[in-house]
Amino acid sequence: MIVLIAGASHTGKTALAQKLLEKYKYPYLSIDHLKMGLIRSGNTELTPMDDDDLTEYLWPIIREIIKTAVENKQNLIVEGCYIPFDWEKDFSREYLDSIQYYCLIMSENYVRNHFVDIKKNANIIENRLDDEGCTMDSVLADNVHTLNLAKKHEVNYILIDDKYEVDIEL
């Protein structure tokens, strides 16, 4: 089984992947780790700020990792914001039957009522070296944008509204 966890920044993608690793013993791949490895090694001139270009650059690599894991009947969780909303078009039915996709999105209500918690939990799994760009306005805008794209592409999303209770049964 392949589990894809996408979503807006600061929605808990990495924390959910860690939780699933502990519960199901499925390894996970953080796309951020791949991104930074490619950037730091000089294999790309892209920077961490080049979101759209990074999706275009990283997705073909991630897509082929997913196909390889399916072909080898391996379980894998892939998490990150560089999974395109039209990801399904890159897989035939034989692959899609082995892939579950979840997009995490926080409602305006949740962001406004829990922004202090969002900031506090930003480093719960990984240390963010620079999180100054995370403002209430940026988190609100990112989640609205992500929700609109999720609806447009009719992907499976989890809306976090009142309490942060995200769990996935595999």
Side-chain angles (χ1 to χ4, degrees), residues 1-7 13 16-17 20 26 28-29 31 59 62-63 65-67 70 76-88 90-91 95-96 98-104 155-158 168 170:
M1 176 61 57
I2 307 299
V3 180
L4 303 180
I5 304 172
K13 297 178 295 294
L16 177 58
L20 294 173
Y26 287 16
Y28 76 84
L29 169 64
I31 300 174
W59 178 244
I62 298 299
R63 178 189 68 218
I65 290 171
I66 292 166
K67 287 179 180 178
V70 170
L76 180 64
I77 300 162
V78 178
E79 65 85 13
C81 59
Y82 303 106
I83 300 170
F85 285 94
D86 63 349
W87 66 272
E88 284 186 81
D90 292 327
F91 298 96
Y95 292 103
L96 290 172
S98 298
I99 302 171
Q100 293 182 14
Y101 172 92
Y102 302 91
C103 183
L104 304 182
V155 297
N156 184 33
Y157 66 89
I158 298 170
I168 295 171
L170 305 178

Side-chain angles (χ1 to χ4, degrees), residues 116-128:
V116 170
D117 295 326
I118 293 167
K119 287 288 281 190
K120 182 177 75 177
N121 291 323
N123 292 315
I124 198 166
I125 301 295
E126 297 175 329
N127 284 329
R128 295 174 187 261

Side-chain angles (χ1 to χ4, degrees), residues 100-115:
Q100 293 182 14
Y101 172 92
Y102 302 91
C103 183
L104 304 182
I105 303 169
M106 294 176 176
S107 71
E108 178 180 351
N109 175 60
Y110 184 84
V111 173
R112 291 196 184 282
N113 291 325
H114 299 278
F115 186 70

